[in-house]
């Protein structure tokens, strides 16, 4: 039961253009969402997060949008740079005192930004 | 501040053997989580430890176990290895000021079971 889904295994964009990575979730108990970036041979690194009480969060070139009614979130990268080429994971956690350390991850989307 | 350190980076074992992986969290971080990453499956949560106690556990068989020491370092053990256990095992730490803390991941241990 894949509670967090990233339906696009890969995305290719031109440098300077916008990259949009999508993520869908099914568990209504999820109330906090994160994006991680992973380079080969390295662990995932935190990129940006959003609480379910918000619908948008910005950090420099990165913006995450949350549509709770559709159970959908997206990560926008503007402008895209070749150094952004990596695997991007969407992750979610749910409220309550028992979610310690547990994030539910999507399968990842490989982003390739061409110069 | 040093990051999360995992050892070894690579490991090759045969079916039926057991393996122990080690993780040193970021200094001051008391929560340590373990994840399994396989191609196409994303990251699957194994378990989380805090103050030497397992607080949370994922849906993995009992062959997967872990522990945490008083200095917050953690180990995970997989007994009776199966071919399907081949994966990247990632350790993550957090300060644990709440359940909202973003996790800091190590580079992982790549386990190959032959």
């Amino acid at each position: 039961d894949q509670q967090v889904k990233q339906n696009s295994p890969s995305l290719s964009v031109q440098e300077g253009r916008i990259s949009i990575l999508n993520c869908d979730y099914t568990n209504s108990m999820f109330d906090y969402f994160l994006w991680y970036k992973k380079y080969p041979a390295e662990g995932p690194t935190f990129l940006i997060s959003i609480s379910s009480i918000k619908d948008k969060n910005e950090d420099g070139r990165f913006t995450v949008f949350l549509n709770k009614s559709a159970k959908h979130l997206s990560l926008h990268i503007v402008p895209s740079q070749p150094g952004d080429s990596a695997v991007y994971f969407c992750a979610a956690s749910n409220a309550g005192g028992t979610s310690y350390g547990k994030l539910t991850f999507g399968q990842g989307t490989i982003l390739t930004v061409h110069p | 501040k040093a990051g999360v350190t995992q050892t070894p980076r690579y490991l090759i074992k045969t079916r039926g053997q057991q393996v122990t992986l080690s993780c040193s969290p970021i200094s001051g971080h008391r929560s340590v989580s373990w994840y399994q990453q396989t191609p196409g499956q994303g990251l699957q949560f194994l378990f989380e430890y805090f103050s030497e106690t397992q607080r949370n556990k994922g849906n993995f068989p009992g062959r997967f176990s872990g522990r945490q020491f008083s200095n917050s370092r953690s180990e995970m053990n997989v007994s009776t290895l199966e071919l399907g256990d081949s994966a990247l095992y990632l350790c993550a730490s957090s300060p644990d000021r709440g359940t909202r803390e973003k996790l800091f991941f190590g580079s992982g241990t790549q386990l190959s079971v032959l």
Side-chain angles (χ1 to χ4, degrees), chain A residues 22-39:
Chain A
N22 294 303
C23 178
D24 297 296
Y25 63 96
T26 57
N27 189 337
S28 300
M29 295 299 292
F30 288 147
D31 68 342
Y32 193 70
F33 304 90
L34 309 91
W35 285 92
Y36 281 82
K37 179 170 71 173
K38 185 180 186 300
Y39 293 117

Side-chain angles (χ1 to χ4, degrees), chain A residues 7-95:
Chain A
N7 292 316
S8 298
S10 63
L11 175 68
S12 181
V13 300
Q14 210 64 34
E15 181 179 7
R17 306 293 290 269
I18 184 171
S19 295
I20 300 176
L21 296 98
N22 294 303
C23 178
D24 297 296
Y25 63 96
T26 57
N27 189 337
S28 300
M29 295 299 292
F30 288 147
D31 68 342
Y32 193 70
F33 304 90
L34 309 91
W35 285 92
Y36 281 82
K37 179 170 71 173
K38 185 180 186 300
Y39 293 117
E42 294 183 14
T45 54
F46 169 79
L47 201 52
I48 192 169
S49 62
I50 187 167
S51 166
S52 61
I53 62 174
K54 295 185 175 182
D55 54 18
K56 178 182 173 182
N57 188 27
E58 271 183 275
D59 184 1
R61 296 186 297 114
F62 302 91
T63 303
V64 56
F65 296 91
L66 175 62
N67 183 333
K68 281 177 56 181
S69 59
K71 294 190 176 66
H72 176 84
L73 63 155
S74 61
L75 174 68
H76 292 210
I77 306 174
V78 183
S80 301
Q81 300 173 353
D84 295 329
S85 298
V87 180
Y88 288 78
F89 290 98
C90 169
S93 73
N94 61 311

Side-chain angles (χ1 to χ4, degrees), chain B residues 35-106:
Chain B
Y35 286 80
Q36 180 196 66
Q37 184 187 6
T38 53
Q41 290 295 315
L43 282 73
Q44 306 285 322
F45 173 75
L46 280 154
F47 27 65
E48 187 265 1
Y49 286 87
F50 178 83
S51 291
E52 304 176 65
T53 301
Q54 186 183 89
R55 292 194 301 188
N56 206 355
K57 189 178 188 308
N59 297 322
F60 278 82
R63 300 185 297 107
F64 292 82
S65 63
R67 60 177 176 168
Q68 187 181 34
F69 302 95
S70 58
N71 62 357
S72 295
R73 192 177 69 84
S74 177
E75 289 181 347
M76 69 162 280
N77 183 278
V78 188
S79 62
T80 320
L81 283 166
E82 300 177 359
L83 295 178
D85 297 332
S86 295
L88 178 66
Y89 290 88
L90 292 159
C91 167
S93 73
S94 77
D96 190 52
R97 286 191 292 273
T99 59
R100 293 295 174 257
E101 293 300 322
K102 59 182 185 283
L103 304 181
F104 296 82
F105 285 88

